[in-house]
Amino acid sequence: MAEESSAKWEGKAMVELAGTDAESVWPAIEDFCNIHKWIPIDTSYRVEGIPGQPGLIRYCAAAVKGGDSGGDAQTVTPTVNWAKEKLLTIDPLQRSLSYQVLDNNLGFKSYVATVRVFPINEDPKLGCKIEWGFVCDPVEGFTLQALQYLVESYVQSLAKKIELARSVTA
């Protein structure tokens, strides 16, 4: 659940994947620069750094429906939301990583997220959980509830696409 605070916003989203072990899910999470394969954004790619190592920076972007038509409905220019994000930590044994939003046009001044994959009730046979937690400064023009909803939608998309990929290869 999310808590609203004047100093920091914090939230967490979690999803369970019954019958899917954490070891099978981790490769999707650790592939930091290909997050666009798993969540609904248009692109993500490496800007600098070594894949799988702290300091790696990715660029993520998504076109926003609508955009600015300049008064002419025939020439809609899509707006693109973008961010550069830096991998802070990555631990393949604990199956967790954390990253920080750097430059962006979304209004984030400070945002750090931690994504973890772990067995349900410590029993790999039951499946796994994906947890995405965040801490950030309040974002002008946004609400904590809207940010929480966005993170929850990303976690749900991640789980659905992982399940779909597993069903195709099974």
Side-chain angles (χ1 to χ4, degrees), residues 73-90:
Q74 300 295 346
T75 58
V76 173
T77 304
T79 300
V80 175
N81 287 340
W82 62 271
K84 288 184 181 176
E85 301 172 338
K86 181 178 183 178
L87 184 62
L88 299 174
T89 64
I90 186 165

Side-chain angles (χ1 to χ4, degrees), residues 91-167:
D91 185 340
L93 297 176
Q94 295 297 314
R95 293 189 254 344
S96 72
L97 63 79
S98 63
Y99 70 92
Q100 171 184 22
V101 172
L102 302 173
D103 297 335
N104 67 92
N105 69 347
L106 304 167
F108 288 103
K109 293 181 180 22
S110 167
Y111 176 95
V112 175
T114 300
V115 182
R116 300 184 322 129
V117 182
F118 52 94
I120 296 172
N121 296 330
E122 302 303 319
D123 184 351
K125 293 176 187 166
L126 295 176
C128 70
K129 293 182 182 181
I130 302 171
E131 177 186 270
W132 186 322
F134 66 88
V135 176
C136 67
D137 289 333
V139 181
E140 190 174 327
F142 224 65
T143 65
L144 174 57
Q145 292 76 17
L147 181 57
Q148 178 70 34
Y149 177 80
L150 181 65
V151 171
E152 287 173 3
S153 72
Y154 284 173
V155 171
Q156 292 296 325
S157 174
L158 181 61
K160 285 178 186 170
K161 288 187 178 182
I162 287 170
E163 285 178 332
L164 180 62
R166 287 188 46 80
S167 71

